[in-house]
Amino acid sequence: MSSSESDDSNTESSNNCEEECSSEGTQDSPESLSESTTDTEDELFRVMDKTLGARSKTTVGFTHNDTRRVLTVGKINVRIVKGLISEEQTDVIVNSSNKNLDLSKGRASKALLEAASKSLQSECNSKYPSGIDYGDVAVTGPGDLDCKKVFHGALPKWEGPKQEKVLKEFVINILEECTKRKMKSLAMPALGTGYLSYPADKTAAIVFGCIDEFDGDNDDTSLKDIKIVVFGEDKGTYDAFVAKARQRSLGQRKDRLRSAPPSRQPATNLVNRTSCTSNIGNIQVKVIVGSMAEQIVDVIVNSSSPNLKLDNRPGLSQSLLEVAGQSLQDDCDENYPNGIKPGEVAITDGYNLKCQKVFHGTLPGWYSKRSESLLPEKVMSNFVTKCLEKAERNSFKTIAFPALGTGFLKYPVDITVTKMIKTIGKFEHDRKSNSISEVRIVIYPGSKDWTEIEKEFIDQLSDHKPTGKPTVQPVLAKKIPARGTKEFLEFKYREDLKTPSYWTEFHSGKSIKDWNTRRKGPPFKFVDVDQKTYNYIVGIFKATWGGNAGPVTPAFGLHGFSLQPSGSGHVIKVQRIENIYLFERYQQECQRLFRKAATEGGIQPVEKTKGSSGAVVTTKQMDKSLTSHLYPEINEHYFFHGTKVNRVDVIVSQGLDCRLAMSGRVGCGVYGAERSSKSAAYVDQNSNGESKMFLIRMCLGDVCVSKNHVSYKRPPCKKCGKEICFTHVECYDSVMADGGAFADREFVVYDRYQSYPEYLITYK
């Protein structure tokens, strides 16, 4: 997200210089600095600092003096210090131990135990009687240590690349656990560099890389400070970490010097929310506070300069260019070499943006002369109309506008809002077709007056009543608690059920209950997906056409057959199934699992479930724009499900009904596969040689791992493992056939409404 993204540079730069940080470690020797720094590097730093000033430290910087080494990675300060980790004052101390969590073994772990008291070992024994796996994080209290929590973990002896993967998993798990528990500071040792013989330079590279990756994926993380504490006598490890930190800082500074102007630096802590939703006739108008470059719509509208040089000044155009890539500018240059006049529309592809097209326009300044005898607000109104008409003619359904004219062009906020709303209303009243179903107004939260703009849109949409057209009062967005918290789980359990924001027939402007009580006709629609969704689904379909999928293990009752994937995997069509009745039942099951997670302290992710062979392949490889609306808190994932052609209509209307299915490898349930070629073993072909496969949502909840053939009718008891248990009340929610007798993994739910067939894939 760019730090300058409002319409026509309605923004302030956010150049946050790297802060000086005090160190609590032992003083470093002055000579270590000269060993990791060359005269050439020092000269380069001086040139860059002179050229970029404070901006050279906005994203990644490295400072030094006699007591500390600081690497700034995004929003996180990473300090390299010498000392004893048991003496650190921080929120979290990391202890590298062993799988049995016997803290008396290992020099560092033993020293930590002595400083913390025996209560640390006692808590490990009571909470983790079976120990942990490599890469997992065990959490205990601090004992007598000066911290809030101790995170324990175990790493295998160094042998090569396999251990790199485990180390990376461990570090990421540590960072995620910190965020989940809202911890702000962390102290960890130079993991694995002692007895386990991990090369210090590789360890440093992996640790810094994990922090960088984590920071990029977690804008709302609470974690601000990380200390890497190196034992004072281990000069080689210390120097390796310092050298790697300088290397990362130098490389990123070079990149910034070559290509990144100050306005391209990512903004931090920006608001991102849907503020208001209102219907103007059949068009749903959403007011969104956030980044235009992140919108998933058919059309993004860009307000630019007349010459269409997108990098001319900080603002919306520049932020779109940053994400879309140079091809966006090349398209403008090639097709509009002379630029455009105020009010005209230039159309380009979206390239790396999450849209099909970008509609570019330019507006006169508020205090400029009339453009072709038209006042500025009339030019703006005409421009909005042209954008809507062009989108309608091209059968686009969703379009996103900025708050046009505000900021650099100095349009009064009330006039901008009034003109945009009235123009949308007039277009809806006059249009003859009904392609456009959603118009978004995106307000950039880095500008000075964004709250005023947001309030004005909310107020005017609340009062707007177009003649002869129904209207719905806007719904102000509730404050959503942070992900990973008990409050968030309770919020999801209590919230009113709505359809996904990308649905178009049964859009999210109404609640599911409203749709189900007021709709006319059948409760489901087939919707052709947009090009980007099509590409993403085809991508995961092809990426998983292989592996351990065939020949597959037959279901019970089908022994003697060698099931092979049917077809070559060439996708012809992808449709979204919008079934308002089935989705309501599915969402109710999700809410049940949110309540369970809230009351029981969370649900173990699939990849961390004991006996699991790892993360769900579909979720891991699928584009984030498809998985961003799923909830890992309840183990919600996409899976493939093959079926016969003549059963498609029944499944679309009634759902996947396990009561009508034959018993499979782990009983009678709804089965989902993480590989398309696995599901392809259960399809047939129509007269045109076409096969059908669903991409289904499943909310797995607590997952039981089975490595043998069983005939479950429901998930087993969590305590004793029996299918029918009269002693305990806690049951698993699903079963995963993984390993043992199974060459390929499948996921099974025994309540039909824990699955929802959302996409239908037609292929040959």
Side-chain angles (χ1 to χ4, degrees):
M1 188 183 298
S2 170
S3 64
S4 299
E5 198 183 298
S6 66
D7 177 51
D8 301 302
S9 74
N10 182 12
T11 184
E12 290 180 324
S13 295
S14 56
N15 297 324
N16 300 320
C17 298
E18 180 181 335
E19 298 179 359
E20 289 288 300
C21 303
S22 61
S23 172
E24 297 160 6
T26 309
Q27 276 198 336
D28 305 332
S29 57
E31 57 267 27
S32 66
L33 174 62
S34 61
E35 291 173 359
S36 60
T37 309
T38 66
D39 292 340
T40 303
E41 287 174 345
D42 280 341
E43 179 60 28
L44 180 57
F45 282 129
R46 284 193 291 272
V47 171
M48 286 189 290
D49 288 339
K50 182 177 180 181
T51 305
L52 299 177
R55 295 193 301 270
S56 65
K57 297 175 182 178
T58 302
T59 305
V60 176
F62 187 67
T63 62
H64 53 75
N65 61 22
D66 290 343
T67 60
R68 59 188 176 271
R69 299 291 187 269
V70 183
L71 175 69
T72 307
V73 181
K75 303 174 289 298
I76 301 175
N77 287 328
V78 184
R79 289 182 277 177
I80 307 165
V81 302
K82 291 180 181 178
L84 298 175
I85 198 166
S86 59
E87 297 177 356
E88 290 297 326
Q89 296 177 342
T90 183
D91 287 349
V92 175
I93 287 178
V94 176
N95 174 34
S96 181
S97 184
N98 48 72
K99 292 175 71 174
N100 295 324
L101 291 181
D102 184 349
L103 308 186
S104 65
K105 295 181 179 179
R107 183 179 68 177
S109 186
K110 185 176 181 180
L112 201 68
L113 177 61
E114 291 174 352
S117 77
K118 293 182 179 180
S119 64
L120 201 64
Q121 182 67 70
S122 299
E123 190 173 352
C124 286
N125 295 342
S126 62
K127 293 179 69 173
Y128 304 94
S130 301
I132 57 175
D133 291 330
Y134 289 134
D136 287 349
V137 175
V139 182
T140 67
D144 294 336
L145 298 172
D146 199 354
C147 63
K148 296 178 181 178
K149 295 289 181 182
V150 178
F151 289 178
H152 308 267
L155 295 171
K157 187 84 172 177
W158 175 263
E159 292 179 359
K162 290 185 178 179
Q163 284 66 49
E164 291 184 22
K165 183 178 179 181
V166 178
L167 175 59
K168 180 177 180 180
E169 180 183 1
F170 183 39
V171 175
I172 291 293
N173 286 340
I174 290 169
L175 301 175
E176 289 178 345
E177 194 68 34
C178 281
T179 296
K180 178 180 177 181
R181 296 175 180 271
K182 296 190 176 301
M183 299 298 176
K184 296 181 180 179
S185 57
L186 162 73
M188 69 168 68
L191 295 166
T193 56
Y195 169 75
L196 297 177
S197 303
Y198 283 57
D201 59 339
K202 286 187 178 293
T203 297
I206 291 171
V207 170
F208 293 145
C210 287
I211 296 170
D212 195 2
E213 177 183 330
F214 174 81
D215 176 76
D217 293 341
N218 295 270
D219 290 336
D220 58 348
T221 181
S222 58
L223 193 58
K224 302 301 179 187
D225 289 286
I226 297 175
K227 285 185 188 176
I228 299 171
V229 185
V230 183
F231 184 59
E233 298 178 5
D234 193 352
K235 186 174 182 298
T237 297
Y238 176 80
D239 288 348
F241 268 82
V242 170
K244 189 60 67 174
R246 290 191 62 84
Q247 181 182 340
R248 288 183 65 86
S249 178
L250 179 65
Q252 299 230 12
R253 285 189 178 191
K254 285 179 180 178
D255 291 342
R256 289 165 52 76
L257 181 64
R258 283 195 298 265
S259 61
S263 60
R264 295 288 186 89
Q265 302 310 319
T268 59
N269 301 320
L270 291 178
V271 177
N272 195 342
R273 68 181 181 223
T274 299
S275 301
C276 172
T277 300
S278 179
N279 282 2
I280 298 179
N282 292 318
I283 296 178
Q284 184 185 55
V285 179
K286 285 185 177 180
V287 178
I288 294 175
V289 178
S291 168
M292 178 68 85
E294 294 178 357
Q295 300 304 308
I296 304 175
V297 290
D298 292 332
V299 178
I300 284 177
V301 176
N302 173 37
S303 179
S304 181
S305 56
N307 60 10
L308 290 181
K309 299 301 179 185
L310 307 181
D311 208 15
N312 264 9
R313 59 180 181 238
L316 174 61
S317 293
Q318 197 177 69
S319 69
L320 295 179
L321 177 62
E322 179 185 3
V323 175
Q326 183 60 33
S327 297
L328 186 66
Q329 182 64 71
D330 294 341
D331 200 337
C332 290
D333 294 344
E334 180 178 350
N335 294 297
Y336 305 92
N338 299 319
I340 53 176
K341 295 179 180 179
E344 292 181 347
V345 180
I347 302 177
T348 65
D349 288 335
Y351 299 101
N352 293 329
L353 293 165
K354 298 175 183 178
C355 65
Q356 295 187 48
K357 297 291 181 181
V358 179
F359 288 359
H360 306 265
T362 185
L363 300 175
W366 181 252
Y367 298 109
S368 64
K369 295 180 180 179
R370 293 189 179 199
S371 176
E372 298 181 355
S373 300
L374 297 177
L375 292 170
E377 61 267 38
K378 182 60 177 176
V379 177
M380 181 185 71
S381 179
N382 290 347
F383 174 65
V384 172
T385 299
K386 289 178 183 177
C387 288
L388 293 171
E389 289 174 345
K390 290 179 183 294
E392 186 87 357
R393 281 199 297 270
N394 286 278
S395 299
F396 293 133
K397 296 183 177 181
T398 55
I399 184 170
F401 288 88
L404 289 166
T406 57
F408 180 79
L409 297 178
K410 307 297 184 184
Y411 283 45
V413 170
D414 59 336
I415 291 180
T416 286
V417 175
T418 299
K419 282 294 181 182
M420 291 191 72
I421 292 175
K422 285 187 175 181
T423 303
I424 295 169
K426 186 176 186 304
F427 167 79
E428 160 64 4
H429 183 270
D430 295 342
R431 68 175 177 167
K432 297 178 181 179
S433 60
N434 289 286
S435 174
I436 296 177
S437 60
E438 178 180 302
V439 174
R440 299 184 185 183
I441 310 294
V442 182
I443 303 167
Y444 178 66
S447 61
K448 292 180 180 179
D449 54 353
W450 71 269
T451 54
E452 179 190 351
I453 299 170
E454 179 188 35
K455 183 179 184 301
E456 189 68 29
F457 269 108
I458 291 172
D459 291 344
Q460 292 204 31
L461 282 170
S462 298
D463 297 332
H464 180 73
K465 294 180 176 59
T467 303
K469 295 288 180 178
T471 184
V472 175
Q473 291 294 320
V475 180
L476 296 183
K478 298 178 181 177
K479 184 178 181 181
I480 301 176
R483 295 289 291 264
T485 63
K486 181 179 180 180
E487 291 76 16
F488 177 77
L489 298 173
E490 291 174 344
F491 170 83
K492 292 300 295 180
Y493 169 62
R494 293 191 177 99
E495 76 172 343
D496 292 334
L497 297 180
K498 288 184 175 291
T499 56
S501 60
Y502 52 87
W503 278 25
T504 54
E505 294 295 330
F506 298 104
H507 59 73
S508 58
K510 298 179 183 178
S511 70
I512 289 180
K513 284 185 170 59
D514 285 339
W515 278 118
N516 273 326
T517 53
R518 299 176 185 176
R519 65 173 171 80
K520 297 179 180 179
F524 62 88
K525 300 280 187 180
F526 282 102
V527 180
D528 291 333
V529 300
D530 59 64
Q531 188 63 44
K532 287 187 178 292
T533 303
Y534 173 86
N535 291 340
Y536 294 147
I537 292 178
V538 171
I540 191 64
F541 182 89
K542 290 182 177 179
T544 58
W545 188 269
N548 297 325
V552 301
T553 307
F556 286 128
L558 295 177
H559 288 291
F561 291 87
S562 177
L563 299 177
Q564 296 284 352
S566 175
S568 61
H570 173 66
V571 176
I572 300 171
K573 181 168 59 175
V574 177
Q575 296 169 291
R576 183 171 60 250
I577 301 158
E578 297 186 8
N579 187 319
I580 195 67
Y581 170 73
L582 288 181
F583 195 75
E584 180 179 33
R585 298 299 298 269
Y586 174 75
Q587 287 291 81
Q588 289 169 347
E589 281 300 302
C590 289
Q591 288 195 314
R592 177 184 68 82
L593 293 177
F594 277 119
R595 180 182 181 278
K596 180 179 182 179
T599 56
E600 296 184 7
I603 290 175
Q604 193 81 337
V606 168
E607 60 270 23
K608 294 184 179 181
T609 300
K610 191 172 182 179
S612 170
S613 59
V616 176
V617 172
T618 42
T619 301
K620 187 176 181 180
Q621 296 189 12
M622 191 175 282
D623 190 272
K624 288 185 178 180
S625 65
L626 286 180
T627 59
S628 60
H629 54 269
L630 300 181
Y631 292 94
E633 293 89 346
I634 57 172
N635 276 325
E636 187 183 20
H637 298 278
Y638 276 118
F639 296 101
F640 294 103
H641 182 94
T643 191
K644 308 299 182 185
V645 172
N646 63 1
R647 298 176 187 173
V648 168
D649 290 342
V650 175
I651 293 173
V652 168
S653 61
Q654 300 178 16
L656 293 156
D657 194 342
C658 50
R659 297 172 299 179
L660 305 178
M662 292 185 294
S663 183
R665 301 192 297 179
V666 287
C668 188
V670 177
Y671 283 65
E674 55 189 350
R675 295 190 180 278
S676 57
S677 49
K678 165 65 180 174
S679 293
Y682 297 94
V683 307
D684 60 4
Q685 298 178 346
N686 61 19
S687 58
N688 295 324
E690 298 171 345
S691 299
K692 304 287 185 177
M693 185 183 300
F694 289 99
L695 185 64
I696 66 175
R697 285 202 203 192
M698 292 174 74
C699 52
L700 301 175
D702 270 319
V703 181
C704 171
V705 177
S706 177
K707 298 186 180 295
N708 299 296
H709 290 283
V710 287
S711 296
Y712 289 131
K713 293 182 179 179
R714 71 171 194 178
C717 172
K718 287 183 67 176
K719 296 293 185 181
C720 64
K722 295 179 181 178
E723 180 183 1
I724 300 176
C725 173
F726 300 103
T727 306
H728 311 108
V729 296
E730 302 93 339
C731 286
Y732 289 101
D733 302 296
S734 62
V735 173
M736 174 171 60
D738 190 357
F742 310 121
D744 43 277
R745 192 161 68 162
E746 285 186 291
F747 299 79
V748 187
V749 294
Y750 299 84
D751 186 318
R752 57 189 292 208
Y753 295 118
Q754 279 181 249
S755 66
Y756 177 76
E758 189 165 18
Y759 295 98
L760 179 63
I761 303 169
T762 303
Y763 72 97
K764 286 188 176 182

